[in-house]
Structure formats: C-alpha cells, structure tokens
C-alpha cells in the first residue's frame, strides 16, 4: 500500500471519521473545549526585509456545548489582521483534504450566520480570544481563517528567523530562512492550539524567490509561479499527524553532494525513505561522508525499532553560523552545525546522525508530554548501538561516561558547581541504566519492548511510564522478570536509579570455600566531607543485578553471564550466595564488563588474586578492574598499594581503550599527590608507563581522529608528568599561527600542542593566546574558545602568568568574561599546587577588589579553592593566619573559610597515614629496571592494536637520569 496509502487509515484510527471519538484525545485536560483536527498554513517570508506574512486555516471540533469564543495561543509580537478573521461550519467526512479542496474565505457561502465579532490579544497570557456571534455545537466541525504578519528574528532563539552566509566563491551574501517551532515556539509564528497532544495533519505552502528552494517535512507536490515569475509558491504533500512544534522550514540556495538523495535501503525500493544532505555550495564537498552514511544509519534505526521511518524523506542540513551542539529538530528536517556533518571519524559521525534521527520516532512520531532525561537517553543508547553496528570504535564511551558520573555523584553536593549541566548528567546516567536493562532483560526482549512502545504510542503523546510499562509487559511475557523473585516492574528498577543523585558501591566479601556476601551503599568521595544528613532521609539504595563469573569462566563471560538474583534497595540488606567453587586459589568477578553503572569492591585476597591475573583477562574486564580499583583508592575505599599493584600490567598493555581509561584516573592520582613528596616519583612512574605508548603512536600525519585524540591525551599526561617530547613541534606550529595575517579566523594549531606551548613556551606566545581569547569572534565555535581559555589558564605553572589571567578575568575585563568563563578559569588554575598557591597570594593582595567584583557564588568558590587545597603544615599555617586576620570579613564564604582549615588538617592526617607507603611502593617499583613491550598502534578501527613480529623489549628512557636529579 505504501507509506501514504495508509495515511487516511491512520487518521481514521485517530477518530477523524468517528462521531463518537471526536474529542477522545488522550491526556487532554477536562477544560479543553475545542480540539484542532488540521492546519492549512501559508507563509511568505521576506528575507532581507526581515518580515513574514501568512494565513492559517484551522479545522477544529467543539467538545462541549455553549462555546461562544475561541482561544488560540499567540505571541504578542505576531500581528493578527483582525478584520480578516473568519469562521464557518464545516462538513467533514474524515478524509484529509488536499490543497485543491481549500476554499478562499471570500467565497465562503455556508457560514451559517456565524461571525467573529471581536478579536482580543491578551499579551500577558499570550493568547488571542475570538468572540463569536453565536454558540458552537458540540460534535460539529468548524473552519477558522486568520491572516497574520510578523518580524523575522535574527538568531535560532526565534521561532522564525533569517540569517546569512558568505559565499566563498563569489563573495556574495546569501540569505537563509529557518522556521523552528519546537520548545513551544509555534505561537511566535502563527495562532494555534499549542499543546503536544493535539496532533493533526498539516497542509503547508511557502512562497519564495525563484533562486531559492524550500525544505520541510514532506516533499513538494507542486509549485505555482507568481505573475512576474520572480516568486514561486511551493505546495507540500500532506504532512501526517504531528504536533505543531514538529513543523520546520528551511529556505536556501543549498545543494547536495553529487546532487542526489539516497534511499535508506540499498536497492532503492519505492517504499523506502530518501535521505538528503544539504550544504552551501562551497562546503558541500565536505559532506560526502554524511551522504554515504546517513541512509545506512536510518535503515539501521528502522531495523532496530522494527518500525519504518514514517515519512518519504529525511533532509539533513549543514547550517553555517549555527554553533549549538543540539540540532534544530523538525519532523523530516534537521539542521546541524556544519562541523557535525563534515567528513571525519566515521563512527562518531554515524553516532551523531543516529542520535539526531532517533528523535523522528521519539519526539515527532511519538511525542513526550514533558521533557525528561529518558527520551534523550534512549536516543543516545540507540545511536550507540547503531553506530557500533556500522563502524567499530576503538574507544567505547561507556566507562568514560561512568567515570564522569562518579566524579559528580561522589561530591558532597552533586551539581553544586555545574547546575546547568544537570540535565546532560542525568541523561548520561539514564543511558547507562538502559545499558544495564538490555543485559538484564536480554537484547531481544529489550528491542521488542521499544518496538511495542513506539507502536502503541504512534501519533500520540507519551510519558516515561508508557515506556516502563511496555518493557515490563515484554519482560513478563519472556519471563525475564519473575514475580516473587525479582522486581515487580521495570519502573521499580529504573526509579531506584534515575531519581537519585548518587551511584552505588557494591562490596563483595568472600568467605572462602563457603559463600559470598554482597552489600551496597552510596559511592561517596569522602564521608567526612558530606553535609550532615537528616535522620529521616531515606537512604540511597538501588536494585542491583547480581552477576558473578568464576575464574574458569571469565573468558566466556559475555556468553554465560546471567542474573543470579537481585540485591534489593533495603537498608542493611545483604545477600549470601553459596558455591563450592569459590576457593582460596581462584578469584571471582562481580558485574563483569560493568553491566551496571556502579563500582565493585572486594576483600583484600580477591583483589590480590585479580591483580595477579588482570593482564590475561579480556579487555573489558581489564578496563573494569583498573577503573574500579583506582576509583576506590581515590575515594579512600581501597588501599592505594592495591590500586597501584593493579596498574603494573600496563607495562605490557596493547589496547588503546585501556589506556584511555587509565589517563583520567592517573590525572586524579597526580592531583591527589600534587604538593606532596610522592608527587615526583609518581610522575616518574607515569613517564615510564606512558613514554613507550607515545613512541608507538609516532609522528602526526594523515590518520584517523581516534589516533589523533589518543596521541593528544598521551602527550597531555606526559607534559603534566614533567616530560614533553613535542615541544619543538609545538613551538613551530604555534609560531606559524602567530605569523598569519588574520589569526582570529581559526585556531591554526593542533589542540594537542597548546598545553605544551603555554607551559614551556615564551611569555609572548602565552600573551598571543590570551589575545585570541579576548578577540574571539562570536561566529566561531564557542567550545573552541572554551578549550583555548581553559588551557591558557590551567596549563601554565608560572605564577606571573596565573596572576595576569586572574587580574584580567576577575578585575579588569569582567564584562568580557561570563560567570561561566570565570568558573572554568579558576577551576582550571586550582587544579595544580602552583595554581591554588598563586590564587591564595592573589586573594591576600587583592582582597577588597575581589570581594567587590565577584558575585556571591564566585566569591564563595574562589575562597573554597584558594584556601582549601593545601596539604602541608606550612600551608595550614598560611591559611589559618589569613582566616584569623579576616575573621568576619568573608561574608557568605565564612563557613567555607573555616572549613578549609579542617580540610587541610585532614589532608595532613591522610598524608601521615598513606604517603610513606606510596613513596616506598613507587621507589621500589622504579628501582626494578623493568622494561616495556614495544607497542604498534595501527591506524585502523577494526584492528587498532597489534604486535608487529616478535615482541621486542625496550628500555624505558630517562627514568634513571631524572631520579639522579
């Protein structure tokens, strides 16, 4: 029957032809009196003039008696031509009309003596009220006609806006027009019923000059030339049932790679959607990879969901000047910043495409009632699955996301420093919960439940509970949840995870040759740093899937790991498992490959057994053990020596993903030891481990982005550890940037070189970087500016440079730098002992000026970071003296200032307990004359690491010489 052959049947199923179901719209409030059944919208934008005109016809049905007024949502900035507002009764048989069926209002003969007597715009309520000459009859259809006009905005915050780009070939300025109605913006463009549950058909026409063309949700069915031929009106095919926020329009002169749209399946069957990639003519050659990947991504999403893409076309646009990481998202039309669609790493390109395309099902076909973390998390989860099917990544982001979450959720007050990022953090956590659910329910059960959810909620709105119900029904049907033994529902599981601002720590204690005891608690950085708890607060506990693999089965863990049981979210609850195979000589592994997003601790002997075998285990297990042991030690939950022992296998580690896990943890260890006597030997140990990795990566060249990123991260940790193998290359590259006529046109140096230059380079080079931040153009990527600014602040270990950037940012040019800039800057500086020491001295010298210029929150943060980081008796003395001298002058930061003294005392106590053992371990290990295996990192995503010929042992360079100094 084809995609559009079912449209009438679908709309009939929504109740358009059934008199008994006219107003039975799900989740519509009781006070709804009118329900829209369709829109016919004509818009005429005039780019350059900055205005638009339009007409809208609304087909609606009365749901109650005695309706003598129509209330529509409208922004006061839109001007309704009141004299042209008309209404009439409408006979409607359920058949969706076409453009040719529309009758001009001046030809209406069947008005039934019904007129609009007044039009009142209520600006505070953003509504217009149309008072009628008579009452509307319950169950009857009516057609409303309104003409309107408005002003085109100048940026994406507007629902309808114009912008320009410069054609690099001709030097001409070209106009673009974008309509984006998501996030409640539809009333900024035309009067409507702006509720997501009101899903209706759309008839759309757009007028434009002949040198432009227009994209929207559906293809153009036909066009008409204006009387002089300069203007064209495009009439689009009927858009199936959707919320008004799903409508998007793009007017441009853009072209496509190879000038074609590709079908979403290889044979180009007529019933499959066509996918088009669009860009400006001088940029379109950079979009060939997207054009190749996009149809495959859409087809993979269709296969994953077992639900075909519901429209005949999907068009993706690379939009110049657009800088948001979030695409403009419409039904059948999505607009990205150019760098998101340009040729590059194929895995991440596929991921970005899949993440955006997933919203066609999760936002437009089915629409969330309220925005929560669940929809974005499910889109991320599906995108990762699809991207991994098409392109095997070297690095899996799962544990990287888990590390980031653990850092935030182990803080005394999560989100206190980054409240604006809370939504993203919660979405990442929810994505990891989906990963756990897929394993616990089984892949097929999980996929079936997503399909059932989409099928049941197609052309409707949904809540999170609709998804959990679909999963529960399928899990019970497939016996993946068993009543009385496991959680009763998926909602019961996920709510124990999503609503909490912590993650679990699971402790596995073995009673050898007898049993295993498993307990849970919140994973916290340090109990001493937590605010006092309310005794009435419910403890943070979770439903934990229990999956245990014994030593003899660990290499087959992906095929055999099954849920043995669940640890319930009950205070003091623990579970014991008896097994004769849990002997003294064999380790066991809990949560193999990090099935669930939590950290696992063991008794000391099991950790010892694991450390002896970790290098022989599968890659995901090596990553998990390295991550959990170091994270536990950093949180004082595990001996630092146990964690350091777990790093010894890295001498021979060949997998980039394991190193990627190690680098941020090693950086946290460095910060823990920074300013202590153990700092230098730890840096030497790091250099010994990492230098062979850097040697194996070789020089920069034409290679995949994963290898470029890996080299950058390797160099970053090496220079932090006091060794920079690329200082000459970095200086040469940076000096080329300094010599160009327009240095602000782009950052013409590899990001991996910036820290090297700002740390080891000249004052002139550093000043040049500062000028680039001060003069950074607004039309360039702000993430690039953020990186440059944070690197400029955090990399130098020179008090003179640190003082200068503090002075410029906090005292001299406060209007140039946002509160977010200042937050990032002082956090970057405070990450090193030289940085926070300089911040302390700067505070003493500029007390009054800083207190006056900084906001309350920034002042509190500055005091906290400048006073609370010291780890020595000398630092304690300095801080105590300042707190006493300025007693009563800290304002809202008084509590933080006093608390910093106690914090430093705890750091000194910690050092007395741990530093001698850490130094002894490091010095003993460095004395061992160990050698490292030569690595070979091939530039291939499918076989990124391999041995080249016989293993060759090489000496780790530079360690002995450094120790002598």
């Amino acid at each position: 029957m084809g995609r559009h052959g079912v449209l009438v049947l679908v709309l009939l199923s929504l109740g358009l032809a059934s008199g008994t179901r006219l107003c039975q719209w799900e989740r519509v409030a009781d006070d709804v009196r009118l329900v829209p059944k369709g829109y016919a919208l004509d818009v005429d934008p005039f780019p350059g003039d900055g205005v638009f005109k339009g007409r809208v016809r609304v087909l609606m049905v009365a749901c109650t008696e005695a309706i003598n007024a129509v209330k529509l949502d409208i922004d006061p900035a839109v001007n309704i031509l009141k004299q042209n507002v008309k209404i009439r009764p409408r006979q409607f048989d359920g058949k969706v009309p076409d453009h040719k069926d529309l009758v001009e209002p001046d030809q209406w003969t069947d008005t039934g003596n019904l007129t609009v007597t007044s039009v009142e715009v209520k600006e505070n309520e953003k509504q217009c009220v149309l008072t009628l000459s008579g009452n509307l009859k319950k169950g009857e259809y009516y057609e409303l006609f309104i003409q309107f006009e408005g002003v085109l905005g100048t940026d994406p915050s507007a629902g309808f806006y114009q912008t320009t780009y410069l054609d690099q070939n001709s030097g001409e300025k070209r106009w673009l027009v974008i309509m984006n109605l998501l996030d409640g913006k539809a009333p900024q463009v035309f009067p409507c019923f702006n509720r997501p549950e009101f899903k209706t058909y759309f008839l759309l026409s757009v007028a434009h000059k002949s040198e432009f063309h227009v994209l929207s949700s559906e293809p153009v069915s036909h066009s008409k030339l204006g009387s002089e031929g300069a203007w064209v009106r495009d009439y689009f095919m009927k858009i199936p049932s959707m919320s008004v926020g799903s409508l998007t329009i793009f007017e441009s002169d853009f072209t496509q790679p190879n000038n074609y749209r590709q079908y979403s399946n290889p044979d180009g069957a007529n019933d499959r959607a066509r996918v088009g990639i669009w860009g400006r003519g001088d940029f379109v050659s950079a979009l060939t990879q997207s054009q190749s990947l996009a149809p495959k991504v859409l087809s993979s999403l269709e296969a994953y969901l077992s639900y075909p893409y519901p429209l005949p076309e999907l068009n993706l646009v690379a939009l110049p000047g657009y800088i948001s990481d979030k695409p403009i998202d419409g039904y059948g039309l999505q607009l990205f910043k150019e760098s998101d669609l340009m040729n590059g790493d194929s895995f991440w390109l596929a991921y970005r495409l899949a993440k955006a395309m997933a919203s066609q099902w999760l936002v437009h076909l089915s629409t969330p009632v309220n925005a929560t973390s669940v929809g974005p998390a499910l889109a991320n989860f599906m995108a990762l699955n699809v991207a991994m099917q098409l392109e095997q990544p070297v690095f899996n982001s799962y544990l990287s996301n888990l590390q980031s979450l653990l850092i935030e959720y182990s803080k005394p007050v999560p989100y206190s420093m980054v409240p604006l990022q809370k939504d993203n953090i919660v979405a990442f956590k929810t994505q990891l919960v989906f990963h756990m659910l897929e394993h616990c329910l089984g892949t097929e059960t999980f996929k079936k439940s997503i399909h059932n959810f989409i099928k049941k909620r197609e052309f409707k709105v949904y809540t999170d509970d609709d998804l959990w119900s679909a999963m529960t029904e399928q899990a019970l049907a497939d016996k993946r949840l068993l009543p009385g033994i496991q959680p009763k529902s998926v909602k019961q599981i996920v709510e124990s995870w999503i609503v909490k601002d912590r993650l679990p720590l699971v402790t596995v204690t073995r009673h050898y040759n007898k049993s295993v005891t498993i307990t849970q608690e919140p994973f916290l950085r340090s109990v001493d740093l937590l605010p006092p708890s309310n005794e009435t607060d419910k403890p943070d506990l979770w439903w934990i899937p229990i999956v245990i693999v014994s030593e003899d089965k660990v290499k087959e863990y992906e095929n055999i790991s099954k849920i043995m049981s669940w640890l319930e979210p009950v205070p003091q609850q623990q579970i014991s498992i008896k097994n004769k195979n849990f002997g003294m000589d064999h380790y066991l592994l809990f949560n193999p490959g990090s099935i669930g997003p939590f950290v696992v601790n063991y008794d000391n002997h099991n950790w010892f057994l694991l450390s002896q075998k970790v290098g022989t285990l599968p890659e995901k297990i090596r990553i998990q053990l390295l991550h959990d042991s170091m994270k536990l030690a950093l949180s004082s939950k595990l001996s630092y020596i146990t964690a350091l022992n777990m790093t010894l296998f890295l001498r021979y580690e060949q997998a980039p993903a394991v190193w990627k896990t190690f680098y941020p943890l090693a950086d946290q260890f460095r910060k823990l030891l920074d300013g202590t006597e153990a700092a230098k030997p730890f840096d030497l140990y790091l250099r010994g481990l990492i230098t062979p990795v850097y040697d194996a990566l070789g020089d920069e060249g034409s290679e995949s982005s994963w290898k470029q990123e890996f080299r950058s991260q390797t160099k970053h940790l090496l220079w932090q550890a006091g060794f920079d193998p690329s200082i000459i290359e970095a200086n040469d590259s940076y000096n080329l940037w300094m010599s160009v006529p327009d240095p602000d046109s782009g950052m013409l140096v590899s990001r991996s070189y910036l820290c090297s230059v700002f740390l080891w380079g000249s004052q002139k080079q550093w000043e040049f970087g500062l000028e680039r931040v001060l003069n950074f153009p607004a039309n360039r990527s702000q993430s690039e500016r953020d990186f440059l600014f944070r690197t400029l602040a955090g990399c130098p270990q020179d008090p003179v440079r640190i003082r200068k950037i503090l002075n410029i940012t906090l005292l001299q040019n406060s209007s140039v730098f946002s509160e977010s800039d200042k937050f990032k800057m002082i956090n970057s500086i405070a990450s090193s002992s030289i940085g926070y020491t300089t911040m302390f001295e700067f505070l003493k010298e500029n007390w009054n000026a800083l207190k006056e210029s900084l906001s309350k929150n920034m002042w509190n943060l500055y005091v906290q970071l400048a006073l609370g980081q010291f780890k020595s008796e000398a630092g304690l003395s300095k801080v105590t003296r300042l707190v006493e001298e300025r007693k009563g002058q800290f304002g809202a930061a008084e509590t933080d200032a006093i608390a910093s003294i106690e914090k430093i005392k705890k750091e000194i106590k910690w050092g007395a307990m741990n530093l001698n053992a850490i130094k002894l371990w490091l010095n003993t290990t460095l004395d061992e004359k160990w050698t490292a295996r030569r690595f070979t990192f091939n530039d291939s995503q499918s076989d990124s690491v391999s041995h080249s010929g016989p293993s060759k042992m090489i000496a780790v360079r530079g360690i002995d010489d450094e120790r002598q100094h």
Side-chain angles (χ1 to χ4, degrees), residues 866-884:
L867 273 62
Q869 309 274 77
F870 292 92
K871 301 172 184 177
S872 65
E873 292 287 353
L876 176 62
S877 177
K878 290 198 300 184
V879 172
T880 302
R881 191 179 308 117
L882 179 65
V883 173
E884 290 175 352

Side-chain angles (χ1 to χ4, degrees), residues 56-92:
V56 64
R57 306 160 193 259
V58 187
L59 178 66
M60 56 191 183
V61 63
C63 295
T64 63
E65 297 288 359
I67 300 173
N68 62 0
V70 178
K71 293 182 180 180
L72 296 169
D73 298 301
I74 188 68
D75 191 283
V78 177
N79 179 38
I80 293 177
L81 304 183
K82 299 179 181 180
Q83 68 275 16
N84 293 331
V85 179
K86 297 186 177 183
I87 190 170
R88 67 164 177 166
R90 175 75 183 275
Q91 296 297 317
F92 188 64

Side-chain angles (χ1 to χ4, degrees), residues 1-10 218 237 240 263-265 269-274 298 302 307-314 331 361 459:
M1 183 180 291
R3 291 172 182 263
H4 288 78
V6 300
L7 177 60
V8 173
L9 293 178
V10 169
E218 290 275 351
M237 296 170 61
Y263 286 98
S264 63
N265 67 331
N270 291 332
D271 202 33
R272 302 307 295 266
R274 293 195 301 171
L298 186 64
E302 291 179 314
Y307 192 111
Y309 173 67
L311 298 177
E313 282 190 357
L314 176 60
Y331 202 13
W361 288 268
F459 309 112

Side-chain angles (χ1 to χ4, degrees), residues 945-964:
V945 182
S946 65
H947 298 290
S948 180
S951 298
K952 181 179 179 181
M953 310 302 285
I954 59 171
V956 178
R957 64 186 185 185
I959 291 181
D960 292 331
D961 291 339
E962 285 288 333
R963 294 186 71 201
Q964 290 174 7

Side-chain angles (χ1 to χ4, degrees), residues 703-722:
E703 57 196 3
S704 61
S705 59
W706 80 260
K707 194 171 182 182
Q708 294 171 6
E709 180 190 7
F710 188 27
R711 181 188 291 103
S712 175
Q713 292 171 333
T714 304
K715 281 197 288 189
H716 182 80
L717 194 54
L718 273 177
W719 72 251
Q720 282 190 315

Side-chain angles (χ1 to χ4, degrees), residues 571-583:
Q572 308 302 318
Q573 196 254 2
Q574 56 185 357
I575 190 166
S576 293
I577 299 174
K578 296 182 179 180
N579 191 310
K580 63 182 179 181
N581 295 325
F582 297 160

Side-chain angles (χ1 to χ4, degrees), residues 395 656 663 690-701 703 706-715 935-938 944:
F395 303 128
Y663 287 169
I690 298 170
T691 302
V693 179
Y694 180 76
D695 289 341
L697 287 167
D699 297 329
E700 291 193 20
E703 57 196 3
W706 80 260
K707 194 171 182 182
Q708 294 171 6
E709 180 190 7
F710 188 27
R711 181 188 291 103
S712 175
Q713 292 171 333
T714 304
K715 281 197 288 189
F935 304 144
T936 302
F937 296 106
N938 292 339
S944 60

Side-chain angles (χ1 to χ4, degrees), residues 559-575:
N559 298 322
I560 65 170
S561 54
K562 303 290 184 184
I563 298 178
M564 300 174 65
S565 183
W566 290 82
L567 189 61
E568 297 180 43
V570 178
Q572 308 302 318
Q573 196 254 2
Q574 56 185 357
I575 190 166

